Amino acid sequence: MSGSIAAIVPAAGKSSRFGGREKKPFVSLDGRPVWLRSAELFWKRDDVYKVYLVIAPDDRDEFRGRFGHLLAFANAEVVAGGEERFESVANALARVPESVEFVAIHDAVRPLTPPSFIDAVFAAAEKHGAAMLAIPVADTLKQVDPATNRITGTVPRGGLWQAQTPQVFRRDLLVTSYAKRNELKIPITDDAQLVEAIGHEVVVVPGSPVNFKITTQDDIELAEAILKARGAKTSSSRPAPAFDDEAKW
């Protein structure tokens, strides 16, 4: 699949739940911005044509001033985002040439995806046309009244999976899905939902708990701990005992 995949990395969100003075994608993660760690998972690959990094128009000047030098030699293009995530993806999708066969969409705040999992979801998309990473829900799920914080029910977790990214689709499927999004009249929570809505199956590839989305300040601390553990594991002749089971790191 050399050069046949475009990677869209949305980084235009408001980061309303994160707190702090910076948006999540711009925060330093062990010395490098979160968005950079996510984007370079793709632009270093031979099978990726280009990375489309989507940022909010209001952030463009700040981004250029702080990070423009990081893109000088990167296989990336900055795209203006929209008010909603699906609008940001649509803006980037419009820039992808028709000659590119597949499109991968990956959260800018999901910087720890192991390369082997990207390999796996790319291969599944090539075979089935649409694939995504996800993990089975392990914890008990409760329905809660938002006004009182009282439990109103327990949701059976059998067959439930938590969506992750990258989500990878044939370009023509994704273009068709986005062209019909206004007709569907459904809340759009991720890109797989759009592809499902036009009747195409999306295959799930088992992901990893390590591939989590940074949402809070605590997630930054956890991500930094994981990066340090990976570094220690790489530099040591003996694997760190706490991470012996994570062979795919």
Side-chain angles (χ1 to χ4, degrees), residues 9-15 23 25-26 35 53-64 78-85 87-89 91 108:
V9 181
K14 296 180 176 62
S15 298
K23 290 185 175 181
F26 301 162
W35 71 263
L53 180 68
V54 190
I55 63 172
D58 290 346
D59 294 333
R60 197 174 186 96
D61 290 342
E62 178 188 357
F63 184 89
R64 284 178 172 173
V78 176
V79 179
E83 284 295 317
E84 302 291 340
R85 184 182 184 278
E87 294 173 328
S88 294
V89 173
N91 290 350

Side-chain angles (χ1 to χ4, degrees), residues 8 10 54 81-93 105 177-178 181-182 186-191 194:
I8 296 174
V54 190
E83 284 295 317
E84 302 291 340
R85 184 182 184 278
F86 72 89
E87 294 173 328
S88 294
V89 173
N91 290 350
L93 185 59
I105 302 166
S177 300
Y178 267 85
R181 68 183 184 274
N182 292 329
I186 57 174
I188 301 169
T189 58
D190 70 354
D191 302 284
L194 275 176

